[in-house]
Amino acid sequence: MRIDIITALPTLLESPFSDSILQRAIKKGIVEVHLHNLRDYGIGKHKQIDDYQFGGGAGMVMMIAPIEQCITELKAARKYDEVIYMTPDGDRFDQRAANALSLCQNIIILCGHYKGVDQRVRDLFITKEISIGDYVLSGGELAAAVVSDAVIRLLPGVLNNETSALTDSFQDNLLAPPVYTRPADYKGHKVPDVLTGGNFADIDAWREEQAWQRTKDRRPDLLP
Ligand code: 6GU
């Protein structure tokens, strides 16, 4: 899979891809992540990428020309499954959306800033608009990192068996059960006996019950 991220703030996106699971996925060649600095496509000697909005009002709007140039350049090199715009008024991102995107070969993610992008960018180039929740971020970069992380960890070969995505919260519409590690007794706070008993059928049954109970208590909206 290849992810091209278009942003006015590429440095904001460097560290999420430089550590841990995402870094390993890139090193293994399972995913390529390319950051494109919108400023490189800016207009004039000031490399302008935003301007005042028509009709007045506070906040700058990202101009269409630099974005078109960047997207056109990318599209000339390969076909894209989706051109995504990160915006608080997009479709709410969830595990189902992550699963769907993980089947794509190439995607572009455009990060909005200021008051957002000229509507014509959305009308002409964007195939999907994504929000990561009902709150406002300063820009789409952190949201793009969230979406990329959720998608990349699903790609075959990124996680090993022990960290398999199949046992994640949400993957079966249930929250994950509690987990414990050593010591079995911490200052009198003991690990549930079933987990140290060695009966794996019992352990599976306990985990299933706990997952169900936790979901019922915390997120009953997830249950059918
Ligand atoms: Cl994708 N962008 C911004 N700026 N804020 C958000 C968001 C996206 N999703 C939730 N809030």
Side-chain angles (χ1 to χ4, degrees):
M1 184 180 197
R2 174 179 169 124
I3 305 177
D4 288 278
I5 305 181
I6 304 172
T7 168
L9 296 167
T11 51
L12 249 184
L13 277 161
E14 277 164 16
S15 89
F17 298 106
S18 309
D19 259 306
S20 189
I21 287 171
L22 300 194
Q23 182 197 42
R24 211 178 59 226
I26 291 167
K27 279 194 175 152
K28 279 177 153 181
I30 297 166
V31 65
E32 282 179 42
V33 178
H34 298 268
L35 303 179
H36 305 278
N37 190 347
L38 199 54
R39 187 69 63 178
D40 296 341
Y41 300 85
I43 296 168
K45 71 170 190 286
H46 295 297
K47 295 283 172 193
Q48 187 183 356
I49 56 170
D50 60 346
D51 208 336
Y52 297 101
Q53 55 178 312
F54 281 122
M60 305 292 272
V61 174
M62 290 166 68
M63 303 160 86
I64 188 169
I67 295 170
E68 171 169 39
Q69 219 188 95
C70 185
I71 290 178
T72 302
E73 199 176 291
L74 291 171
K75 281 182 171 174
R78 66 198 65 77
K79 265 194 79 66
Y80 284 91
D81 303 292
E82 300 282 3
V83 181
I84 298 164
Y85 176 49
M86 301 307 305
T87 176
D89 58 4
D91 295 334
R92 180 88 70 85
F93 190 65
D94 59 13
Q95 191 61 48
R96 178 189 295 269
N99 292 349
L101 280 181
S102 76
L103 301 174
C104 290
Q105 205 54 248
N106 303 309
I107 62 173
I108 292 173
I109 303 180
L110 171 64
C111 302
H113 242 263
Y114 320 109
K115 274 287 161 195
V117 299
D118 188 305
Q119 179 60 39
R120 292 167 292 185
V121 169
R122 300 166 72 160
D123 297 341
L124 296 174
F125 309 123
I126 300 301
T127 62
K128 190 185 278 296
E129 301 191 326
I130 295 178
S131 161
I132 62 163
D134 291 342
Y135 41 82
V136 180
L137 302 170
S138 312
E141 283 77 12
L142 298 181
V146 165
V147 168
S148 299
D149 185 305
V151 169
I152 290 168
R153 63 194 300 289
L154 295 173
L155 300 176
V158 172
L159 300 183
N160 53 34
N161 260 345
E162 277 162 70
T163 50
S164 163
L166 292 175
T167 59
D168 287 344
S169 275
F170 292 109
Q171 201 52 270
D172 47 10
N173 258 354
L174 288 179
L175 301 182
V179 293
Y180 298 86
T181 187
R182 288 189 293 180
D185 183 335
Y186 184 69
K187 300 178 179 173
H189 300 277
K190 293 198 177 68
V191 168
D193 286 337
V194 61
L195 295 178
T196 51
N199 182 328
F200 291 100
D202 284 356
I203 291 172
D204 281 348
W206 180 86
R207 285 180 173 154
E208 213 165 294
E209 168 61 21
Q210 290 287 318
W212 188 83
Q213 192 60 48
R214 206 172 242 204
T215 309
K216 188 167 150 275
D217 292 343
R218 299 176 181 207
R219 292 295 306 277
D221 57 297
L222 292 176
L223 294 171

